[in-house]
Amino acid sequence: MQAQNTIAQEHLEHFAVNLIKYSSAEVYIDLPTRLLYSTDASVYQMTPLAVVVPRHYDDVLATAELCIQEGLPMLPRGGGSSLAGQAVGEAVVLDFSKYLDEVVRVDGRARRALVQAGATLGGLNRRLASYGLMVGPDPASGDRATVGGCIGNNATGAHSIIYGKMVDHVIGLRAILADGRETWLGPVSRPEIEKQGGSDAFVWQAHRGLAALVDANRDLIDREFPTYWRRSGGYNLDRLRNQWAEDRLNLASLLVGAEGTLGLILEAELNLVPIPRHKALAVLHFADYDSAFRSVPGLLELGPSAIELIDEMLIDLTRKAPAWRTRLGFVEGDPQAVFVVEFAGDEEQAVEAGLQKLRGYWTRHGAGQPLVEVKDARAQANVWNVRKAGLNLLMSLRGDAKPIPGIEDVAVPPENLADYMAELRALLAEKDVVAAMYAHASAGCIHTRPILNLKTRHGVEILVELTAAAAHLAKKYRGALSSEHGDGLARSAFNRDFFGPNIYELFRRVKGILDPDNVFNPGKIVDAPQPDQNLRFGPDYRTIAIEPVWDWSRDGSYAQAVEMCNGAGVCRKLDMGTMCPSFQALRDEKHSTRGRANLLRAALSGQLPGGLADPALFEALELCLGCKACKSECPSSVDMTKLKTEAYAQKYRTEKPPLAARVFANIDRLSALAARVAPLANLTLRLPPTRWLMTRALQVHPERAFPRFHHQTLSKQWPRRAPARASGPTVALFPDTFTEFNEPEQGLAAARVLEAAGRRVELTPRLCCGRPALSQGLVPEAKARARRLVDALWPYAQAGTPIIGLEPSCLLTIRDDYPELIPGPRTDAVAKNVFLFDEYLAQLLSQNPSALPLKPTQRRYLVHGHCYQKTLTDMGASMDVLAMIPSASAELIDAGCCGMAGAFGYS
């Protein structure tokens, strides 16, 4: 488990008071906020001393000055997506991601950009797309990783053989060094350094000290420093050596990959690369791993832009996932491995020439295995999405054994890859450890994730043994121990053995020159703790026992469901997808799915003093909209909606639910009452006294417009309607609360469409699905309603009559939540027999396109998908139906969440 903080609380309070006085930063020293920043995407946890969220550069300067005065270490942090534990430590954490995220300047002609450290790489690339440019390195976490974090890790990605690493693209950095002053680090000539020789300014002392260090150790660096280009660990002394040989220095090159241990990065000037205009993929199939790895040097001679591995474990996981198996059509048979080989360029002929050379190569060396070409842009996107999905499915493995990062970042020269992987796989087999393998074969970096249970002493011991062995093999095969994920807490302790004592001592001297008082992210790269310390989980990890209201057996337990969050931080992505609406609006860690999961885990493991009753926990949970986007967009399929409901249910066992929760949980009953006196109810709800009362009693926003109620409900109108004659099978239409009382015309219209398709339509009994009660944490009430509804719908399911509904949250609650809320064969049968209106139509029209007489229209439809529908099914059915309307066009917009989920939209 993690080490305990040793700084006195009075000291931290004094620091916070002074910083608030002299800056505009958000400053937190409360335990819940510190726990939010105690983890990243690694297996480590260290509670920070304080958390500072600077609004301006002056706030960072004030923080640095005060930390230096008070002797408090500092740790810069971006998206917290670090896999090696770089972003956690017993220090004052500075979160650059909330406010310091501006793209300051783009010079398209010069292909340069000036950007603040907190900007996400994905956001920067979206801005650059209009210039036809991008940042070359493309880490998989780029949608939420910040530029400062990518620089700190010296990040790269699938296309590193073309674009190199971040250090190849950083021109200069605005940074704060150990004197607490802001400075610009860029290329400086030898004469300029010698001219400043008499200066006592810290930055020039650093230039002179590092120049002298390189001068005195040129032969040592040339002789002992690792030469493989894919290295990101340690400090970039080889860069400084080569620069000084050319009579210049650029200390920015040293801060790249330094993991925040040498200074705080405020701003970066980057060079940019053109976006390739043409791309094509070829999927190569291999019967065994060895032949795949031995093929890499020959494939590289053909000039690809990427060679990515998908192994048999990821293929198998993808094929077992119903939502993904149909998208794996580019994989034929049962290969042990496939390579996704990409060719890219500005000229289509050059891309085709690359493919042609690959065809010839495969004819000679492919041993008759398939080669599948993928040229269509959408089909290529599907391949990359499946490649990414395989990792996501791996991360969603249930239970205590998880795919652990630690040895995943070794890279070796491609000519040594097969031998390295053979030894590593033999070692894994010897220890009886299963591992998944994926990613960057082109760079000799096969991300290998052993499946280990770190809650056991044996699992921890195996991790340490494997990391030590990987370090030995990386050195043996002239590679790199860390090649894009950094050293952090996972690998820094092995740097002395990997680099050798002489180079390691130079690293310590570099640290001493630039950070003499060890104030910047101590314990990383040099003088690091052992990798079995500060673990998030460990042999002593325990959680409290609860009596759950849900069936959590699929996850193992409620605690294990919470622990599915591995900290990857995909919930922090901006401007794409739906997850996580409250984070996208507020940019606050506690309002991300990861933040909520962290607090839940802290409550269950005793780190949060109030446990599951702690007010800080419910402050974070309160703004979860219950959209369920996390269930599909989170790599680990964390269902925060369900986790939140359990937490509230536990709370309400000892506390009385508030009036607002009880009112919204019973919205169907209140709607039924309002519909009986609809004209009066509609008028009353618009009156100022009523709105004032609802604001005071229920926290309903005074400007919130209420839906109108209809006295002539769907059920009342149903017997009086004139149904079309239909001779086809019977279907059952489920009247949800909103359709019944607020928009009955929608239900009638749906019936007319179904009848036009030749179906006889019956109306099921009008009962609430219980979703409103679930959203308020009133699970016993929800269970009672669910049982009544299952009993009412069971005859239809038993007869095989499709049950069709219009409201996704109601229908998909039956399908997704009921099996774990009220498990049983009847529940399962009903859940399998409910269909959304567009799902049923799409299925019907796919079997008989002429089943529904659709009139031509020139309309263009922009479709905003319902959160539940996007999460628990997809929007394919809606788009398929719209695509069948003659002359019409339809486009699914990436509009995210509307923000009006459940009762949240009323407050």
Side-chain angles (χ1 to χ4, degrees):
M1 295 292 286
Q2 62 170 329
Q4 297 297 312
N5 291 333
T6 56
I7 306 297
Q9 182 67 20
E10 294 80 4
H11 191 174
L12 297 178
E13 290 174 357
H14 175 73
F15 164 81
V17 168
N18 282 335
L19 187 55
I20 291 170
K21 182 178 180 180
Y22 294 110
S23 81
S24 62
E26 298 175 12
V27 184
Y28 305 95
I29 59 171
D30 61 289
L31 179 60
T33 301
R34 290 159 53 215
L35 286 171
L36 288 170
Y37 287 83
S38 67
T39 61
D40 53 11
S42 73
V43 297
Y44 295 99
Q45 177 170 3
M46 296 183 74
T47 304
L49 304 175
V51 174
V52 177
V53 186
R55 299 175 187 271
H56 313 288
Y57 289 165
D58 286 347
D59 297 338
V60 186
L61 285 162
T63 304
E65 181 179 357
L66 193 56
C67 283
I68 291 168
Q69 289 176 2
E70 300 283 342
L72 298 176
M74 294 170 276
L75 193 166
R77 176 167 166 137
S81 58
S82 305
L83 287 166
Q86 303 92 307
V88 298
E90 190 175 321
V92 175
V93 169
L94 290 95
D95 181 352
F96 286 80
S97 68
K98 187 171 183 178
Y99 298 114
L100 298 179
D101 63 345
E102 181 183 351
V103 178
V104 180
R105 183 177 65 248
V106 177
D107 186 338
R109 180 170 298 179
R111 295 181 180 173
R112 291 188 175 189
L114 186 66
V115 60
Q116 292 183 323
T120 64
L121 185 63
L124 173 59
N125 278 332
R126 284 190 291 277
R127 170 81 177 273
L128 296 174
S130 61
Y131 296 87
L133 300 171
M134 66 180 188
V135 177
D138 55 345
S141 59
D143 56 357
R144 71 271 189 197
T146 61
V147 169
C150 291
I151 291 171
N153 276 9
N154 198 5
T156 183
H159 297 88
S160 62
I161 56 173
I162 301 296
Y163 301 120
K165 308 186 299 296
M166 284 298 294
V167 71
D168 301 305
H169 300 270
V170 173
I171 298 168
L173 297 173
R174 188 177 307 281
I176 296 174
L177 299 182
D179 60 349
R181 296 182 180 181
E182 176 185 341
T183 188
W184 179 260
L185 300 177
V188 182
S189 67
R190 183 188 290 262
E192 179 65 14
I193 294 173
E194 292 173 349
K195 178 182 176 182
Q196 298 289 339
S199 171
D200 61 355
F202 181 84
V203 65
W204 293 111
Q205 292 178 14
H207 277 86
R208 293 197 305 273
L210 290 166
L213 179 71
V214 170
D215 259 340
N217 295 279
R218 286 176 298 179
D219 293 341
L220 172 62
I221 295 171
D222 290 343
R223 184 175 65 253
E224 297 188 14
F225 205 89
T227 58
Y228 188 45
W229 67 271
R230 207 30 164 71
R231 177 198 56 80
S232 69
Y235 293 127
N236 291 323
L237 275 176
D238 53 341
R239 288 264 173 174
L240 257 60
R241 161 73 178 93
N242 295 335
Q243 290 170 4
W244 197 235
E246 299 173 356
D247 295 326
R248 62 186 178 88
L249 279 185
N250 185 350
L251 298 197
S253 301
L254 198 58
L255 265 65
V256 178
E259 301 181 5
T261 62
L262 303 179
L264 303 178
I265 297 170
L266 300 175
E267 203 170 84
E269 185 174 19
L270 306 174
N271 65 41
L272 309 172
V273 299
I275 299 172
R277 295 170 57 197
H278 300 281
K279 295 179 181 180
L281 300 180
V283 182
L284 308 183
H285 296 56
F286 294 90
D288 59 86
Y289 290 119
D290 191 66
S291 61
F293 298 140
R294 294 198 185 281
S295 74
V296 174
L299 291 171
L300 287 173
E301 293 178 5
L302 308 178
S305 54
I307 305 174
E308 293 287 290
L309 167 70
I310 306 176
D311 82 337
E312 60 182 342
M313 179 182 290
L314 299 186
I315 292 172
D316 185 56
L317 287 171
T318 306
R319 281 178 169 163
K320 289 179 179 177
W324 288 96
R325 66 167 66 106
T326 58
R327 300 175 63 176
L328 204 63
F330 57 87
V331 176
E332 300 180 3
D334 296 301
Q336 197 167 66
V338 300
F339 280 167
V340 178
V341 182
E342 181 189 79
F343 292 92
D346 289 334
E347 301 298 330
E348 188 173 5
Q349 295 88 340
V351 172
E352 180 58 35
L355 280 178
Q356 182 61 38
K357 287 190 288 185
L358 179 61
R359 294 184 199 108
Y361 171 92
W362 201 243
T363 298
R364 298 188 300 274
H365 303 289
Q369 293 291 319
L371 181 156
V372 178
E373 295 184 16
V374 185
K375 297 182 180 180
D376 176 75
R378 286 191 177 183
Q380 290 183 50
N382 176 65
V383 172
W384 289 119
N385 287 337
V386 169
R387 146 78 171 86
K388 184 176 181 180
L391 175 59
N392 293 349
L393 292 167
L394 176 67
M395 299 306 295
S396 65
L397 290 176
R398 262 53 187 172
D400 288 333
K402 303 291 184 184
I404 301 297
I407 65 171
E408 88 290 353
D409 208 29
V410 170
V412 299
E415 61 270 21
N416 298 335
L417 179 60
D419 293 334
Y420 163 73
M421 289 303 301
E423 283 206 52
L424 180 62
R425 290 176 58 236
L427 178 64
L428 291 166
E430 176 188 323
K431 297 184 177 297
D432 197 27
V433 174
V434 176
M437 298 179 289
Y438 62 97
H440 319 312
S442 52
C445 175
I446 303 298
H447 290 325
T448 304
R449 292 281 190 104
I451 313 298
L452 299 173
N453 180 4
L454 296 188
K455 293 181 181 179
T456 66
R457 195 166 305 282
H458 176 70
V460 174
E461 290 171 353
I462 291 293
L463 176 63
V464 175
E465 291 172 9
L466 288 175
T467 309
H472 169 74
L473 292 176
K475 188 170 186 177
K476 175 180 178 179
Y477 288 107
R478 298 183 294 110
L481 176 59
S482 302
S483 70
E484 63 182 24
H485 295 165
D487 292 332
L489 296 169
R491 288 176 285 274
S492 292
F494 298 96
N495 277 342
R496 180 187 295 274
D497 292 336
F498 176 73
F499 288 97
N502 297 325
I503 296 296
Y504 184 79
E505 186 56 34
L506 293 186
F507 288 165
R508 299 185 79 244
R509 290 175 62 186
V510 168
K511 175 75 169 173
I513 291 170
L514 277 171
D515 185 17
D517 296 322
N518 198 27
V519 296
F520 292 121
N521 202 6
K524 316 300 191 308
I525 299 183
V526 296
D527 301 323
Q530 291 300 305
D532 58 352
Q533 298 180 33
N534 306 302
L535 291 170
R536 188 189 311 188
F537 305 109
D540 299 325
Y541 177 84
R542 298 290 185 274
T543 57
I544 61 172
I546 66 168
E547 184 181 340
V549 296
W550 289 86
D551 178 4
W552 295 97
S553 58
R554 178 172 175 267
D555 302 281
S557 67
Y558 180 56
Q560 288 174 306
V562 171
E563 293 159 10
M564 286 301 298
C565 175
N566 56 39
V570 179
C571 47
R572 291 175 51 95
K573 59 185 171 54
L574 301 169
D575 304 324
M576 64 175 66
T578 302
M579 180 180 71
C580 174
S582 48
F583 177 79
Q584 290 183 5
L586 299 173
R587 307 283 290 275
D588 190 324
E589 177 70 19
K590 74 179 176 185
H591 294 307
S592 67
T593 304
R594 178 176 70 181
R596 296 180 182 110
N598 261 334
L599 288 179
L600 278 168
R601 183 173 49 79
L604 290 166
S605 60
Q607 298 174 63
L608 199 60
L612 284 177
D614 198 291
L617 171 62
F618 291 95
E619 183 181 344
L621 292 176
E622 184 181 16
L623 292 190
C624 169
L625 274 65
C627 67
K628 279 190 181 273
C630 47
K631 185 168 183 178
S632 65
E633 294 182 28
C634 169
S636 298
S637 300
V638 172
D639 188 347
M640 186 51 64
T641 301
K642 185 178 170 185
L643 295 172
K644 170 188 174 180
T645 301
E646 182 72 65
Y648 272 95
Q650 297 296 322
K651 178 182 182 180
Y652 292 152
R653 280 181 165 156
T654 56
E655 294 182 23
K656 187 177 181 180
L659 176 62
R662 298 198 300 274
V663 167
F664 283 109
N666 289 282
I667 195 67
D668 65 311
R669 293 170 180 165
L670 295 174
S671 296
L673 292 173
R676 291 180 184 178
V677 289
L680 179 61
N682 293 331
L683 174 62
T684 304
L685 287 172
R686 294 199 299 269
L687 295 176
T690 307
R691 303 188 74 85
W692 177 87
L693 179 62
M694 296 186 76
T695 299
R696 296 295 295 269
L698 305 178
Q699 292 80 52
V700 172
H701 196 280
E703 297 180 12
R704 179 62 163 92
F706 292 93
R708 293 180 60 82
F709 295 97
H710 285 253
H711 181 67
Q712 294 299 319
T713 64
L714 177 60
S715 296
K716 283 185 178 180
Q717 294 186 55
W718 192 263
R720 300 197 302 268
R721 71 190 187 93
R725 293 182 179 179
S727 58
T730 299
V731 297
L733 184 65
F734 172 67
D736 61 86
T737 297
F738 197 78
T739 303
E740 171 74 4
F741 299 113
N742 302 110
E743 291 194 357
E745 64 275 12
Q746 301 292 341
L748 296 171
R752 288 195 297 271
V753 172
L754 292 168
E755 289 167 347
R759 270 35 184 181
R760 290 192 297 268
V761 186
E762 294 183 8
L763 197 65
T764 73
R766 202 284 305 166
L767 291 169
C768 178
C769 67
R771 166 49 54 193
L774 281 178
S775 72
Q776 301 301 315
L778 303 181
V779 181
E781 291 90 331
K783 282 187 172 183
R785 291 171 184 244
R787 290 190 183 99
R788 286 197 296 270
L789 184 56
V790 166
D791 287 343
L793 298 182
W794 163 244
Y796 298 99
Q798 189 178 33
T801 302
I803 303 164
I804 300 169
L806 304 178
E807 168 52 45
S809 59
C810 290
L811 260 289
L812 295 176
T813 290
I814 299 171
R815 185 187 295 175
D816 185 61
D817 290 323
Y818 277 21
E820 293 171 334
L821 185 67
I822 50 167
R826 281 194 174 198
T827 301
D828 292 340
V830 169
K832 292 175 182 177
N833 208 54
V834 296
F835 301 90
L836 290 172
F837 179 70
D838 53 352
E839 285 181 322
Y840 183 79
L841 283 185
Q843 186 181 68
L844 179 65
L845 294 174
S846 68
Q847 297 168 354
N848 181 9
S850 62
L852 191 63
L854 297 171
K855 296 179 180 179
T857 178
Q858 295 297 324
R859 288 183 178 178
R860 178 176 178 235
Y861 298 97
L862 297 178
V863 182
H864 179 195
H866 189 287
C867 289
Y868 270 38
Q869 191 168 359
K870 288 187 290 186
T871 297
L872 301 176
T873 58
D874 59 42
M875 294 302 298
S878 297
M879 304 310 293
D880 289 346
V881 172
L882 291 173
M884 294 181 184
I885 301 175
S887 303
S889 63
E891 178 185 348
L892 181 64
I893 57 176
D894 186 13
C897 178
C898 70
M900 302 302 290
F904 185 87
Y906 285 83
S907 59

